Structures are given as C-alpha cells and as structure tokens.
C-alpha cells in the first residue's frame, strides 16, 4: 500500500511555488499516483540561479551552516518513518531498505556539519625558500559559488543529501534538479532544510524536463560547479558541454567481486546474495559479476543459490519484502532483454530469468561471455553472473575488463592476496571480505574510468566545492 498522494510545491527563493503544470509521481509497484509536483523549465531555473547568486552575497557563517545541518539530521530522525514511506512509495524501494536510507541521510548531514565547523585552509612554509623568507602565507578555503545539483532516482533521499549537505557545509547555495520519477523525497528534504532555518535562496528545487533544466545549469556562467549523479550517457555529455566548469560526476559500474578458494564461502555467499539483489539491483554498486576460483565454484554456488531463492519478492511497502519492482516497465523489459540475449548466446540461467507477476525474479547466470551486455555493461537490475577462474591474475583481468571503475571486492583469507588485488583492481574503492556494494557516508566514494571523476562523502565533496585562495603577508 502506498502512502496517501501528496502534493508538493517547488522551492524558489524561499517560496513554495506552483507553475500551472504538474507531473504525477507513480508507484513503480502499483502504478497508483503517490504524489503531484509542479514542473519548471528554463525560466524558473534562471530565477533559481538568480536567487542562489543573490543569497551568496551575504555569506552564512560556518557555525550557522553547521547548526542547520545538525537540525536537519534531527528532523530526519523525528520523521524517520514518514520519510522512509515516501522513498518506498515513489521509488518502489523495499521499506526496510528505505529506512536504512533515511538513517544514512542523517549521517550525511551530521558528517557535513563537522566539515562546516572544521573547514580551513593551511599554512604555507614560506621560509622554506630564500625568496619566501620574511613573509607569512596561508590559504583560505572559499565556496566555489552557486552549485547546480542533479540527482538520480535510486537513492532519492541520501543522494540528494550528498549534494545538499556538503554544498551547504562549503558555503554554497544550490539549485537542485532531482529525478523526475522521485522528486517527493527531495522536496521533503528541502522542507526540512527551510524549517531548520536555511535563509531564502540558499536552496532552490526545480523539477521538470531534464535537458532543458540541465542545459541552463551547465550553460549559465554563474553556476560555478555542477554535481551530477546518474548515468554516464548523461554525465559525460554535461562535462563535454562545459569543459571549463567543474562538473563532478558520480556514474555507473558493472560491479565485480572475486571469491578466492580460501575465502569464508558461507560469509561470501550471504553477503553476495544480499547485495546483488537489494533494491532489485538498482544501485550503482550492486554486485553484478562474481568471479569464483574453480576449486570453490560448486561449493559457493551450493551456498549462494538457496539464499538467492529465499529472497522475498513483493510489495515494497511490505515489511518482509527483499526485492521489489524496477523503477518502470521499460527498465524491466530492458533487463529481461539482456538476460534473453545472454541465454541465446549460451549462458545458463541458474535461477530466475522470469517474471513473478510484474516483478523480475533474482537472476543468476553462468557461462555468460565477457562480451555480453550482462557482463560488460551496467545491468541495473536483479541479475548477476557467476564465472569460474583459475588464477588471481585471470580474475583481476576479468574484473578490470570493463569501461567502469567504481568499486570492486575480493573475498579471501590471505592478507597478501587481498592487498595484491587492492593494488591492481582499477576502481575507486576495493572492499576486502565485504561486498563491493558497501558504502557508509563518510567514505570517499567515486570512480575512475567511465565511472566518474570525483569523490563524494562530506569531507571530499566539500573539497570539491571550495577553492583555495592564497594570502601572502610581508612581515
Ligand atoms: P539518469 O537517467 O542519468 O538520470 C539522473 C539525473 O539526470 C536525473 O535527475 C535526470 O532527470 C537527469 N537528466 C537526464 N537527462 C539529462 C540531461 N540531458 N541533462 C541534465 N540532466 C539530465 O540516471 P538514473 O537512471 O536516474 O540513475 C541511474 C544511474 O545512476 C546508473 O547508471 C547508476 O549507476 C548511477 N548512479 C551512480 C551513483 C554514484 O554515486 N556513482 C549513485 C547512484 C546512481 P530526469 O529524471 O528528469 O530524467
């Protein structure tokens, strides 16, 4: 059951506005309308930039920014269940996962408050050179300017939090464009920020035609940084459109994990079953490619498959549901098509591969060649492949064999093997004896290769959204 349909307004210069045009937000599970939001276009986006620029003329001191951030964390805590229900209703995310997302967003705000209070430049050792001697120098860390933030549907609260909270910590005003399929959580978060005392103009939220809003944000010189989380197809185009602007990209992955024969196979099987299918695989670090050393292959599968088959499909609002719907029918059909393509090319479906009602069953494929889309592209659905290998060398080559590089993992009881893999896996993060889907919000998180060009996590995001200014004093 979805929550009662809510009607939201857009936030522009501290005012909640209507535009006369609306979009309906529908439950990906039942199709019922769960909310209604006005849509904005280029005009409102320009007004939002005006408001943000104006707001930044009067900087908010760090202690005020930190207080607001802490208050938002508190409000999220107080309204935890309501926020979780909103995420679940609009994204089709199982309620238990939605609750975790709210707790994580609280952490993102709390950690960002710490950054606001500790943001500082550094001393430059001027007497280290003859010409510098007799001078004192230090750097100031200053907000980069107005930030344009664009967020995806899959973590409609916490990935918005990863945009808004570090930007405020850095002292930047924001124009946010959340995903059209999931704007309700973002607007709820905006309400909490204003209730927490954020002055007008510091946050503006526009929902509407993506390329129209995106182009205004990218093309307007007053927007000094874009922070984008979403698909590479969109992200890299934005970066190409504005080669001189900071365009911070957090993009996709085809997440690999290596299971060595000496690993704790029971622990690996448990973590992989949970992390290949959580939110129906719609996480940028959902386990997608499992490489298992041949000596442990049958044993791992014997442990892994029953755990996958025990996952409960169903209504995301049901407390017991592990796997819900994909965000829309088009995505489900695409994922099914990729599975069929693999099957036609000789891959074996070990479990799943079919629909249960409208839901795609968790699917495990064997013998899927590296050239197939399920192996080298991001599936973003409840599908993983299992492939046997002989040597670590071979496993690392297979894991590195995509254009992506966000996170990878290895299960092994050998420290030497784990560290060798950590050095050679070409990814932004490597987890050892943990699924590569692991993220906690203070970590530096981001990719290499096609997966992006930045790191999020408040301490890193604040660095990306501030500029250093050198100050030199003649003594
Ligand atoms: P998406 O289609 O790229 O959409 C992301 C955001 O970009 C949405 O707000 C979308 O708006 C907007 N957008 C679409 N076209 C645009 C354009 N031409 N100009 C400006 N903005 C535009 O991605 P998604 O399907 O929502 O999310 C899934 C992807 O995000 C996956 O690839 C996943 O791996 C990646 N992801 C990465 C991370 C990370 O931290 N690395 C985290 C989560 C997800 P509309 O909704 O209005 O179309």
């Amino acid at each position: 059951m979805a929550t009662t349909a809510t009607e939201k307004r857009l936030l522009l210069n501290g005012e909640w506005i209507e535009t006369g045009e609306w979009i309906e937000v529908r439950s990906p599970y039942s199709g019922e309308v769960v909310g209604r939001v006005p849509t904005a276009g280029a005009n409102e986006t320009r007004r939002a930039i005006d408001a943000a620029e104006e707001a930044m003329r009067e900087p908010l001191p760090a202690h005020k920014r930190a207080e607001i951030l802490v208050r938002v964390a508190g409000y999220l805590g107080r309204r935890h269940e309501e926020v979780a229900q909103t995420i679940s209703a609009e994204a089709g995310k199982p309620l238990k996962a939605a609750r975790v997302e709210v707790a994580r967003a609280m952490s993102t705000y709390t950690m960002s408050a710490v950054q606001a209070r500790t943001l500082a430049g550094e001393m430059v050792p001027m007497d280290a050179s003859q010409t510098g001697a007799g001078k004192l120098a230090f750097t100031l860390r200053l907000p980069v300017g107005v930030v344009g933030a664009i967020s995806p549907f899959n973590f409609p609260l916490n990935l918005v939090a990863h945009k808004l909270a570090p930007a405020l910590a850095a002292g930047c005003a924001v124009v946010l464009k959340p995903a059209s399929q999931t704007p309700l959580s973002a607007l709820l978060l905006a309400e909490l920020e204003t209730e927490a005392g954020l002055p007008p103009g510091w946050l503006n939220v526009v929902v509407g035609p993506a390329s129209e809003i995106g182009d205004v944000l990218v093309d307007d010189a007053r927007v000094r940084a874009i922070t984008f989380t979403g698909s590479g197809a969109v992200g890299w185009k934005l970066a190409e459109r504005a080669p001189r602007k900071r365009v911070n990209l957090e993009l996709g992955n085809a997440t690999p994990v290596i299971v060595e024969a000496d690993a704790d196979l029971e622990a690996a099987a448990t973590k992989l079953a949970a992390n290949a299918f959580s939110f129906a695989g719609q996480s940028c670090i959902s386990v997608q490619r499992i490489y298992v050393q041949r000596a442990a292959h049958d044993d791992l599968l014997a442990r892994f498959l029953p755990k996958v088959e025990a996952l409960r499909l169903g209504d995301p609002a049901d407390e017991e549901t592990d796997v819900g719907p994909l965000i829309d029918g088009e995505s489900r059909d695409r994922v099914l098509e990729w599975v069929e393509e693999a099957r036609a090319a000789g891959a074996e479906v070990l479990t799943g591969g079919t629909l249960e009602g409208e839901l795609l069953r968790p699917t495990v494929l064997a013998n899927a060649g590296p050239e197939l889309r399920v192996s080298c592209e991001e599936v973003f659905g409840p599908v993983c492949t299992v492939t046997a290998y002989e040597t670590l060398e071979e496993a690392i080559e297979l894991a590195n064999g995509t254009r992506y590089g966000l996170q990878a993992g290895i299960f092994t009881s050998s420290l030497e093997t784990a560290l060798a893999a950590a050095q050679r896996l070409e990814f932004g993060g490597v987890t050892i004896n943990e699924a590569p889907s692991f993220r906690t919000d203070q970590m530096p998180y981001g990719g290499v290769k096609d997966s992006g060009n930045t790191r999020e996590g408040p301490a890193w995001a604040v660095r990306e959204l501030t500029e250093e200014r050198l100050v030199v004093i003649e003594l």
Side-chain angles (χ1 to χ4, degrees), residues 98-130:
R99 289 186 181 128
V100 174
E101 184 172 343
V102 182
R104 285 188 50 193
M106 290 168 66
S107 176
T108 304
Y109 272 86
T110 309
M111 301 287 175
S112 296
V114 173
Q115 294 307 316
R117 285 195 199 276
T118 53
L119 181 59
E122 43 185 288
M123 295 302 300
V124 182
M126 293 302 279
D127 63 354
S129 72
Q130 205 178 347

PDB file of all heavy atoms in Angstrom, residues 98-130:
ATOM      1  N   ALA A  98      14.526   1.389   2.615  1.00  0.00           N
ATOM      2  CA  ALA A  98      14.231   2.825   2.684  1.00  0.00           C
ATOM      3  C   ALA A  98      14.560   3.372   4.075  1.00  0.00           C
ATOM      4  O   ALA A  98      15.065   4.491   4.215  1.00  0.00           O
ATOM      5  CB  ALA A  98      12.764   3.066   2.343  1.00  0.00           C
ATOM      6  N   ARG A  99      14.298   2.555   5.109  1.00  0.00           N
ATOM      7  CA  ARG A  99      14.624   3.006   6.472  1.00  0.00           C
ATOM      8  C   ARG A  99      16.137   3.181   6.637  1.00  0.00           C
ATOM      9  O   ARG A  99      16.603   4.133   7.264  1.00  0.00           O
ATOM     10  CB  ARG A  99      14.095   1.994   7.490  1.00  0.00           C
ATOM     11  CG  ARG A  99      12.573   2.015   7.578  1.00  0.00           C
ATOM     12  CD  ARG A  99      12.080   1.114   8.698  1.00  0.00           C
ATOM     13  NE  ARG A  99      10.637   1.134   8.754  1.00  0.00           N
ATOM     14  CZ  ARG A  99       9.857   0.048   8.759  1.00  0.00           C
ATOM     15  NH1 ARG A  99      10.395  -1.166   8.746  1.00  0.00           N
ATOM     16  NH2 ARG A  99       8.550   0.166   8.806  1.00  0.00           N
ATOM     17  N   VAL A 100      16.884   2.266   6.043  1.00  0.00           N
ATOM     18  CA  VAL A 100      18.352   2.394   6.111  1.00  0.00           C
ATOM     19  C   VAL A 100      18.783   3.678   5.398  1.00  0.00           C
ATOM     20  O   VAL A 100      19.671   4.401   5.866  1.00  0.00           O
ATOM     21  CB  VAL A 100      19.042   1.160   5.479  1.00  0.00           C
ATOM     22  CG1 VAL A 100      20.545   1.341   5.405  1.00  0.00           C
ATOM     23  CG2 VAL A 100      18.683  -0.111   6.249  1.00  0.00           C
ATOM     24  N   GLU A 101      18.118   3.967   4.298  1.00  0.00           N
ATOM     25  CA  GLU A 101      18.489   5.184   3.550  1.00  0.00           C
ATOM     26  C   GLU A 101      18.269   6.445   4.392  1.00  0.00           C
ATOM     27  O   GLU A 101      19.079   7.379   4.348  1.00  0.00           O
ATOM     28  CB  GLU A 101      17.709   5.262   2.224  1.00  0.00           C
ATOM     29  CG  GLU A 101      18.146   6.463   1.396  1.00  0.00           C
ATOM     30  CD  GLU A 101      17.572   6.517   0.002  1.00  0.00           C
ATOM     31  OE1 GLU A 101      17.065   5.495  -0.509  1.00  0.00           O
ATOM     32  OE2 GLU A 101      17.642   7.613  -0.590  1.00  0.00           O
ATOM     33  N   VAL A 102      17.190   6.463   5.156  1.00  0.00           N
ATOM     34  CA  VAL A 102      16.944   7.649   6.000  1.00  0.00           C
ATOM     35  C   VAL A 102      18.056   7.772   7.057  1.00  0.00           C
ATOM     36  O   VAL A 102      18.604   8.863   7.271  1.00  0.00           O
ATOM     37  CB  VAL A 102      15.566   7.576   6.694  1.00  0.00           C
ATOM     38  CG1 VAL A 102      15.327   8.844   7.520  1.00  0.00           C
ATOM     39  CG2 VAL A 102      14.445   7.398   5.676  1.00  0.00           C
ATOM     40  N   ALA A 103      18.406   6.645   7.669  1.00  0.00           N
ATOM     41  CA  ALA A 103      19.466   6.684   8.684  1.00  0.00           C
ATOM     42  C   ALA A 103      20.778   7.166   8.063  1.00  0.00           C
ATOM     43  O   ALA A 103      21.528   7.943   8.667  1.00  0.00           O
ATOM     44  CB  ALA A 103      19.642   5.299   9.299  1.00  0.00           C
ATOM     45  N   ARG A 104      21.021   6.733   6.843  1.00  0.00           N
ATOM     46  CA  ARG A 104      22.258   7.162   6.172  1.00  0.00           C
ATOM     47  C   ARG A 104      22.220   8.658   5.858  1.00  0.00           C
ATOM     48  O   ARG A 104      23.232   9.355   5.984  1.00  0.00           O
ATOM     49  CB  ARG A 104      22.473   6.339   4.911  1.00  0.00           C
ATOM     50  CG  ARG A 104      22.954   4.926   5.238  1.00  0.00           C
ATOM     51  CD  ARG A 104      23.346   4.156   4.013  1.00  0.00           C
ATOM     52  NE  ARG A 104      24.250   4.906   3.160  1.00  0.00           N
ATOM     53  CZ  ARG A 104      24.543   4.575   1.918  1.00  0.00           C
ATOM     54  NH1 ARG A 104      23.994   3.496   1.377  1.00  0.00           N
ATOM     55  NH2 ARG A 104      25.388   5.301   1.213  1.00  0.00           N
ATOM     56  N   ALA A 105      21.055   9.158   5.463  1.00  0.00           N
ATOM     57  CA  ALA A 105      20.961  10.598   5.172  1.00  0.00           C
ATOM     58  C   ALA A 105      21.223  11.411   6.441  1.00  0.00           C
ATOM     59  O   ALA A 105      21.859  12.475   6.404  1.00  0.00           O
ATOM     60  CB  ALA A 105      19.595  10.930   4.576  1.00  0.00           C
ATOM     61  N   MET A 106      20.754  10.895   7.573  1.00  0.00           N
ATOM     62  CA  MET A 106      21.029  11.582   8.848  1.00  0.00           C
ATOM     63  C   MET A 106      22.540  11.666   9.058  1.00  0.00           C
ATOM     64  O   MET A 106      23.087  12.702   9.459  1.00  0.00           O
ATOM     65  CB  MET A 106      20.386  10.823  10.018  1.00  0.00           C
ATOM     66  CG  MET A 106      18.875  10.904  10.021  1.00  0.00           C
ATOM     67  SD  MET A 106      18.136   9.729  11.176  1.00  0.00           S
ATOM     68  CE  MET A 106      18.720  10.398  12.729  1.00  0.00           C
ATOM     69  N   SER A 107      23.205  10.572   8.761  1.00  0.00           N
ATOM     70  CA  SER A 107      24.656  10.535   8.917  1.00  0.00           C
ATOM     71  C   SER A 107      25.334  11.523   7.950  1.00  0.00           C
ATOM     72  O   SER A 107      26.278  12.236   8.309  1.00  0.00           O
ATOM     73  CB  SER A 107      25.105   9.093   8.664  1.00  0.00           C
ATOM     74  OG  SER A 107      26.462   8.983   8.696  1.00  0.00           O
ATOM     75  N   THR A 108      24.818  11.589   6.724  1.00  0.00           N
ATOM     76  CA  THR A 108      25.401  12.514   5.736  1.00  0.00           C
ATOM     77  C   THR A 108      25.306  13.960   6.244  1.00  0.00           C
ATOM     78  O   THR A 108      26.260  14.748   6.123  1.00  0.00           O
ATOM     79  CB  THR A 108      24.660  12.365   4.384  1.00  0.00           C
ATOM     80  OG1 THR A 108      24.732  10.995   3.990  1.00  0.00           O
ATOM     81  CG2 THR A 108      25.264  13.239   3.310  1.00  0.00           C
ATOM     82  N   TYR A 109      24.178  14.306   6.850  1.00  0.00           N
ATOM     83  CA  TYR A 109      24.019  15.664   7.391  1.00  0.00           C
ATOM     84  C   TYR A 109      24.927  15.885   8.605  1.00  0.00           C
ATOM     85  O   TYR A 109      25.564  16.946   8.738  1.00  0.00           O
ATOM     86  CB  TYR A 109      22.541  15.940   7.737  1.00  0.00           C
ATOM     87  CG  TYR A 109      21.807  16.498   6.535  1.00  0.00           C
ATOM     88  CD1 TYR A 109      21.256  15.650   5.589  1.00  0.00           C
ATOM     89  CD2 TYR A 109      21.724  17.867   6.319  1.00  0.00           C
ATOM     90  CE1 TYR A 109      20.627  16.154   4.458  1.00  0.00           C
ATOM     91  CE2 TYR A 109      21.097  18.380   5.193  1.00  0.00           C
ATOM     92  CZ  TYR A 109      20.545  17.519   4.265  1.00  0.00           C
ATOM     93  OH  TYR A 109      19.945  18.042   3.137  1.00  0.00           O
ATOM     94  N   THR A 110      24.990  14.875   9.477  1.00  0.00           N
ATOM     95  CA  THR A 110      25.815  15.031  10.682  1.00  0.00           C
ATOM     96  C   THR A 110      27.293  15.208  10.303  1.00  0.00           C
ATOM     97  O   THR A 110      27.990  16.072  10.838  1.00  0.00           O
ATOM     98  CB  THR A 110      25.647  13.783  11.581  1.00  0.00           C
ATOM     99  OG1 THR A 110      24.259  13.556  11.757  1.00  0.00           O
ATOM    100  CG2 THR A 110      26.304  13.962  12.920  1.00  0.00           C
ATOM    101  N   MET A 111      27.738  14.367   9.372  1.00  0.00           N
ATOM    102  CA  MET A 111      29.153  14.444   8.942  1.00  0.00           C
ATOM    103  C   MET A 111      29.423  15.775   8.228  1.00  0.00           C
ATOM    104  O   MET A 111      30.517  16.330   8.329  1.00  0.00           O
ATOM    105  CB  MET A 111      29.480  13.306   7.964  1.00  0.00           C
ATOM    106  CG  MET A 111      29.255  11.936   8.500  1.00  0.00           C
ATOM    107  SD  MET A 111      30.509  11.479   9.708  1.00  0.00           S
ATOM    108  CE  MET A 111      29.844   9.911  10.218  1.00  0.00           C
ATOM    109  N   SER A 112      28.444  16.271   7.502  1.00  0.00           N
ATOM    110  CA  SER A 112      28.634  17.540   6.792  1.00  0.00           C
ATOM    111  C   SER A 112      28.743  18.697   7.785  1.00  0.00           C
ATOM    112  O   SER A 112      29.496  19.660   7.557  1.00  0.00           O
ATOM    113  CB  SER A 112      27.485  17.787   5.813  1.00  0.00           C
ATOM    114  OG  SER A 112      27.491  16.792   4.817  1.00  0.00           O
ATOM    115  N   ALA A 113      27.998  18.589   8.883  1.00  0.00           N
ATOM    116  CA  ALA A 113      28.098  19.640   9.910  1.00  0.00           C
ATOM    117  C   ALA A 113      29.520  19.700  10.464  1.00  0.00           C
ATOM    118  O   ALA A 113      30.069  20.793  10.703  1.00  0.00           O
ATOM    119  CB  ALA A 113      27.101  19.364  11.032  1.00  0.00           C
ATOM    120  N   VAL A 114      30.130  18.542  10.649  1.00  0.00           N
ATOM    121  CA  VAL A 114      31.523  18.501  11.126  1.00  0.00           C
ATOM    122  C   VAL A 114      32.422  19.227  10.127  1.00  0.00           C
ATOM    123  O   VAL A 114      33.298  20.021  10.504  1.00  0.00           O
ATOM    124  CB  VAL A 114      31.997  17.035  11.316  1.00  0.00           C
ATOM    125  CG1 VAL A 114      33.480  16.969  11.637  1.00  0.00           C
ATOM    126  CG2 VAL A 114      31.163  16.334  12.382  1.00  0.00           C
ATOM    127  N   GLN A 115      32.177  18.986   8.842  1.00  0.00           N
ATOM    128  CA  GLN A 115      33.004  19.645   7.814  1.00  0.00           C
ATOM    129  C   GLN A 115      32.802  21.154   7.837  1.00  0.00           C
ATOM    130  O   GLN A 115      33.752  21.920   7.659  1.00  0.00           O
ATOM    131  CB  GLN A 115      32.675  19.095   6.413  1.00  0.00           C
ATOM    132  CG  GLN A 115      33.037  17.644   6.233  1.00  0.00           C
ATOM    133  CD  GLN A 115      34.489  17.372   6.601  1.00  0.00           C
ATOM    134  OE1 GLN A 115      35.384  18.130   6.230  1.00  0.00           O
ATOM    135  NE2 GLN A 115      34.718  16.304   7.348  1.00  0.00           N
ATOM    136  N   ALA A 116      31.555  21.585   8.037  1.00  0.00           N
ATOM    137  CA  ALA A 116      31.305  23.032   8.085  1.00  0.00           C
ATOM    138  C   ALA A 116      32.125  23.665   9.204  1.00  0.00           C
ATOM    139  O   ALA A 116      32.723  24.735   9.034  1.00  0.00           O
ATOM    140  CB  ALA A 116      29.815  23.296   8.297  1.00  0.00           C
ATOM    141  N   ARG A 117      32.173  22.985  10.352  1.00  0.00           N
ATOM    142  CA  ARG A 117      32.869  23.573  11.510  1.00  0.00           C
ATOM    143  C   ARG A 117      34.385  23.501  11.406  1.00  0.00           C
ATOM    144  O   ARG A 117      35.088  24.231  12.102  1.00  0.00           O
ATOM    145  CB  ARG A 117      32.441  22.855  12.800  1.00  0.00           C
ATOM    146  CG  ARG A 117      31.051  23.244  13.266  1.00  0.00           C
ATOM    147  CD  ARG A 117      30.839  22.808  14.697  1.00  0.00           C
ATOM    148  NE  ARG A 117      29.428  22.744  15.037  1.00  0.00           N
ATOM    149  CZ  ARG A 117      28.698  23.786  15.429  1.00  0.00           C
ATOM    150  NH1 ARG A 117      29.238  24.981  15.536  1.00  0.00           N
ATOM    151  NH2 ARG A 117      27.417  23.622  15.708  1.00  0.00           N
ATOM    152  N   THR A 118      34.891  22.601  10.567  1.00  0.00           N
ATOM    153  CA  THR A 118      36.351  22.414  10.540  1.00  0.00           C
ATOM    154  C   THR A 118      36.981  22.861   9.222  1.00  0.00           C
ATOM    155  O   THR A 118      38.197  22.711   9.033  1.00  0.00           O
ATOM    156  CB  THR A 118      36.707  20.923  10.793  1.00  0.00           C
ATOM    157  OG1 THR A 118      35.967  20.128   9.872  1.00  0.00           O
ATOM    158  CG2 THR A 118      36.359  20.507  12.208  1.00  0.00           C
ATOM    159  N   LEU A 119      36.158  23.394   8.347  1.00  0.00           N
ATOM    160  CA  LEU A 119      36.667  23.834   7.043  1.00  0.00           C
ATOM    161  C   LEU A 119      37.735  24.918   7.242  1.00  0.00           C
ATOM    162  O   LEU A 119      37.464  25.962   7.838  1.00  0.00           O
ATOM    163  CB  LEU A 119      35.490  24.402   6.242  1.00  0.00           C
ATOM    164  CG  LEU A 119      35.742  24.918   4.840  1.00  0.00           C
ATOM    165  CD1 LEU A 119      36.301  23.831   3.951  1.00  0.00           C
ATOM    166  CD2 LEU A 119      34.445  25.476   4.264  1.00  0.00           C
ATOM    167  N   ALA A 120      38.926  24.663   6.740  1.00  0.00           N
ATOM    168  CA  ALA A 120      40.016  25.621   6.961  1.00  0.00           C
ATOM    169  C   ALA A 120      41.065  25.470   5.872  1.00  0.00           C
ATOM    170  O   ALA A 120      41.199  24.403   5.263  1.00  0.00           O
ATOM    171  CB  ALA A 120      40.661  25.357   8.329  1.00  0.00           C
ATOM    172  N   GLY A 121      41.800  26.519   5.648  1.00  0.00           N
ATOM    173  CA  GLY A 121      42.930  26.452   4.726  1.00  0.00           C
ATOM    174  C   GLY A 121      44.155  25.941   5.462  1.00  0.00           C
ATOM    175  O   GLY A 121      44.058  25.352   6.534  1.00  0.00           O
ATOM    176  N   GLU A 122      45.329  26.190   4.872  1.00  0.00           N
ATOM    177  CA  GLU A 122      46.540  25.722   5.560  1.00  0.00           C
ATOM    178  C   GLU A 122      47.675  26.747   5.467  1.00  0.00           C
ATOM    179  O   GLU A 122      47.668  27.619   4.602  1.00  0.00           O
ATOM    180  CB  GLU A 122      46.993  24.362   5.028  1.00  0.00           C
ATOM    181  CG  GLU A 122      46.942  24.200   3.549  1.00  0.00           C
ATOM    182  CD  GLU A 122      47.282  22.780   3.127  1.00  0.00           C
ATOM    183  OE1 GLU A 122      48.457  22.408   3.233  1.00  0.00           O
ATOM    184  OE2 GLU A 122      46.372  22.066   2.669  1.00  0.00           O
ATOM    185  N   MET A 123      48.614  26.584   6.382  1.00  0.00           N
ATOM    186  CA  MET A 123      49.777  27.460   6.384  1.00  0.00           C
ATOM    187  C   MET A 123      50.736  27.018   5.275  1.00  0.00           C
ATOM    188  O   MET A 123      50.849  25.828   4.985  1.00  0.00           O
ATOM    189  CB  MET A 123      50.528  27.383   7.725  1.00  0.00           C
ATOM    190  CG  MET A 123      49.742  27.886   8.911  1.00  0.00           C
ATOM    191  SD  MET A 123      49.186  29.611   8.752  1.00  0.00           S
ATOM    192  CE  MET A 123      50.731  30.488   8.579  1.00  0.00           C
ATOM    193  N   VAL A 124      51.412  27.988   4.664  1.00  0.00           N
ATOM    194  CA  VAL A 124      52.422  27.674   3.646  1.00  0.00           C
ATOM    195  C   VAL A 124      53.791  27.973   4.273  1.00  0.00           C
ATOM    196  O   VAL A 124      53.986  29.072   4.806  1.00  0.00           O
ATOM    197  CB  VAL A 124      52.228  28.551   2.383  1.00  0.00           C
ATOM    198  CG1 VAL A 124      53.243  28.201   1.314  1.00  0.00           C
ATOM    199  CG2 VAL A 124      50.803  28.403   1.852  1.00  0.00           C
ATOM    200  N   PRO A 125      54.718  27.028   4.246  1.00  0.00           N
ATOM    201  CA  PRO A 125      56.027  27.245   4.892  1.00  0.00           C
ATOM    202  C   PRO A 125      56.901  28.193   4.075  1.00  0.00           C
ATOM    203  O   PRO A 125      57.737  27.765   3.285  1.00  0.00           O
ATOM    204  CB  PRO A 125      56.610  25.833   4.955  1.00  0.00           C
ATOM    205  CG  PRO A 125      55.993  25.115   3.797  1.00  0.00           C
ATOM    206  CD  PRO A 125      54.634  25.711   3.599  1.00  0.00           C
ATOM    207  N   MET A 126      56.707  29.509   4.239  1.00  0.00           N
ATOM    208  CA  MET A 126      57.326  30.488   3.336  1.00  0.00           C
ATOM    209  C   MET A 126      58.843  30.558   3.470  1.00  0.00           C
ATOM    210  O   MET A 126      59.553  30.776   2.489  1.00  0.00           O
ATOM    211  CB  MET A 126      56.713  31.873   3.584  1.00  0.00           C
ATOM    212  CG  MET A 126      55.252  31.946   3.182  1.00  0.00           C
ATOM    213  SD  MET A 126      54.973  31.526   1.457  1.00  0.00           S
ATOM    214  CE  MET A 126      55.387  33.080   0.669  1.00  0.00           C
ATOM    215  N   ASP A 127      59.357  30.334   4.679  1.00  0.00           N
ATOM    216  CA  ASP A 127      60.818  30.450   4.805  1.00  0.00           C
ATOM    217  C   ASP A 127      61.535  29.185   4.322  1.00  0.00           C
ATOM    218  O   ASP A 127      62.735  29.038   4.481  1.00  0.00           O
ATOM    219  CB  ASP A 127      61.220  30.815   6.238  1.00  0.00           C
ATOM    220  CG  ASP A 127      60.843  29.745   7.235  1.00  0.00           C
ATOM    221  OD1 ASP A 127      60.168  28.772   6.834  1.00  0.00           O
ATOM    222  OD2 ASP A 127      61.226  29.870   8.422  1.00  0.00           O
ATOM    223  N   ALA A 128      60.793  28.290   3.662  1.00  0.00           N
ATOM    224  CA  ALA A 128      61.441  27.130   3.049  1.00  0.00           C
ATOM    225  C   ALA A 128      62.244  27.540   1.812  1.00  0.00           C
ATOM    226  O   ALA A 128      63.073  26.783   1.320  1.00  0.00           O
ATOM    227  CB  ALA A 128      60.395  26.087   2.652  1.00  0.00           C
ATOM    228  N   SER A 129      62.003  28.743   1.291  1.00  0.00           N
ATOM    229  CA  SER A 129      62.843  29.232   0.186  1.00  0.00           C
ATOM    230  C   SER A 129      63.372  30.627   0.550  1.00  0.00           C
ATOM    231  O   SER A 129      62.744  31.341   1.345  1.00  0.00           O
ATOM    232  CB  SER A 129      62.035  29.326  -1.111  1.00  0.00           C
ATOM    233  OG  SER A 129      61.127  30.400  -1.023  1.00  0.00           O
ATOM    234  N   GLN A 130      64.461  30.986  -0.068  1.00  0.00           N
ATOM    235  CA  GLN A 130      65.078  32.286   0.237  1.00  0.00           C
ATOM    236  C   GLN A 130      64.135  33.436  -0.114  1.00  0.00           C
ATOM    237  O   GLN A 130      64.014  34.407   0.633  1.00  0.00           O
ATOM    238  CB  GLN A 130      66.365  32.393  -0.569  1.00  0.00           C
ATOM    239  CG  GLN A 130      67.352  33.331   0.065  1.00  0.00           C
ATOM    240  CD  GLN A 130      68.630  33.377  -0.749  1.00  0.00           C
ATOM    241  OE1 GLN A 130      68.862  32.551  -1.617  1.00  0.00           O
ATOM    242  NE2 GLN A 130      69.456  34.357  -0.456  1.00  0.00           N
TER     243      GLN A 130
END
